[in-house]
Amino acid sequence: PQNNPPFASLDDPDKSGTLYKEGHVFRNWKKRFFILKDGSLYYFKRQGDTEPLGMIRVVGSKVQEKHEPGLKYCFEIIPNDEIVPVFIIQALEEEDMKAWIEAIKDSQMKYRSAVPSLSHSIPSPNR
């Protein structure tokens, strides 16, 4: 898939590791390798893949723990754009979940002034 913005390198990430992501269509859980870099969270089918399956823009999104019966160590990324779905991600342990939430919040603070609002980048239907 094409990622916008494109990335030149995911070397020296803010954080990386294996997590589980809930699918948007079938609502099943998929094991994915995640890389947090420059305000974006990229996910890959497996570690070492060169092209991500997708990218989540964390700047401007809300990140919080997800408390739901039967789900452990989950957090959600809620984009500020209603067109983009909510991402639910699960870690294997509580410490890892908290570390990811903290890393994402740090990335949001670091890159929030460098990213334009999504509402300004979507063309108006009248144009």
Side-chain angles (χ1 to χ4, degrees):
Q2 292 285 336
N3 291 296
N4 189 9
F7 61 90
S9 170
L10 293 177
D11 293 338
D12 194 30
D14 299 322
K15 185 162 181 58
S16 65
T18 300
L19 298 165
Y20 290 84
K21 181 182 127 351
E22 186 181 43
H24 292 295
V25 178
F26 295 109
R27 299 290 183 211
N28 55 342
W29 293 91
K30 299 281 189 173
K31 184 178 180 179
R32 299 291 182 236
F33 184 75
F34 286 80
I35 294 177
L36 178 64
K37 172 107 180 189
D38 299 339
S40 295
L41 185 61
Y42 300 91
Y43 55 96
F44 301 80
K45 188 166 187 171
R46 65 186 65 80
Q47 186 174 359
D49 286 357
T50 57
E51 183 68 25
L53 294 172
M55 182 209 45
I56 304 167
R57 209 63 201 126
V58 298
V59 176
S61 297
K62 181 177 182 180
V63 60
Q64 63 188 19
E65 287 187 40
K66 172 93 171 153
H67 299 285
E68 196 171 297
L71 289 180
K72 289 176 115 178
Y73 319 129
C74 287
F75 62 96
E76 57 188 350
I77 301 171
I78 305 167
N80 66 353
D81 186 337
E82 293 178 8
I83 296 170
V84 181
V86 172
F87 293 89
I88 302 174
I89 299 170
Q90 184 177 41
L92 294 177
E93 54 190 41
E94 186 175 11
E95 283 182 34
D96 197 30
M97 175 197 67
K98 290 181 183 290
W100 274 100
I101 291 172
E102 187 66 30
I104 291 169
K105 287 181 177 182
D106 288 347
S107 186
Q108 289 174 322
M109 292 297 291
K110 185 175 179 181
Y111 295 102
R112 72 175 176 210
S113 61
V115 177
S117 169
L118 282 176
S119 62
H120 297 299
S121 63
I122 299 173
S124 167
N126 297 330
R127 289 188 195 173

